[in-house]
Amino acid sequence: MKKKTPYEFLLDGHEYIELNQLLKVVGLVNSGGEANAFISNGEVRVNDTIETRKRNKIKTGFKVEFDGQILLVK
């Protein structure tokens, strides 16, 4: 089994980014609406827990998993 390589996302001085915006900004989805649908369907994990809050505030140290990708927020 191939190990997933995590990608780092830098908040660049911001306190947080909303989950649906993060998925859009990094290019894992094409639109905010698409991100909202995946989140509502329970297809996104934050810190190893299924997350259904579209605007969950993702902060430094969080891990987001979606569609076989891992994002580490720095």
Side-chain angles (χ1 to χ4, degrees):
M1 176 182 240
K2 185 177 177 184
K3 184 178 177 184
K4 297 178 190 174
T5 303
Y7 297 94
E8 290 185 355
F9 177 80
L10 303 177
L11 284 175
D12 198 28
H14 298 279
E15 183 182 348
Y16 65 89
I17 185 169
E18 293 177 352
L19 180 57
N20 55 358
Q21 292 301 310
L22 175 63
L23 297 180
K24 190 169 97 173
V25 167
V26 299
L28 293 178
V29 296
N30 294 316
S31 68
E34 189 177 50
N36 290 343
F38 285 120
I39 295 166
S40 292
N41 289 334
E43 297 181 48
V44 181
R45 297 177 75 83
V46 175
N47 297 331
D48 299 319
T49 302
I50 293 173
E51 181 57 72
T52 56
R53 295 174 292 172
K54 300 169 191 89
R55 295 186 175 176
N56 183 19
K57 295 177 180 176
I58 305 301
K59 299 179 180 182
T60 299
F62 280 33
K63 178 175 76 170
V64 176
E65 297 177 72
F66 171 69
D67 194 30
Q69 302 297 317
I70 298 173
L71 301 170
L72 300 176
V73 181
K74 303 274 182 170

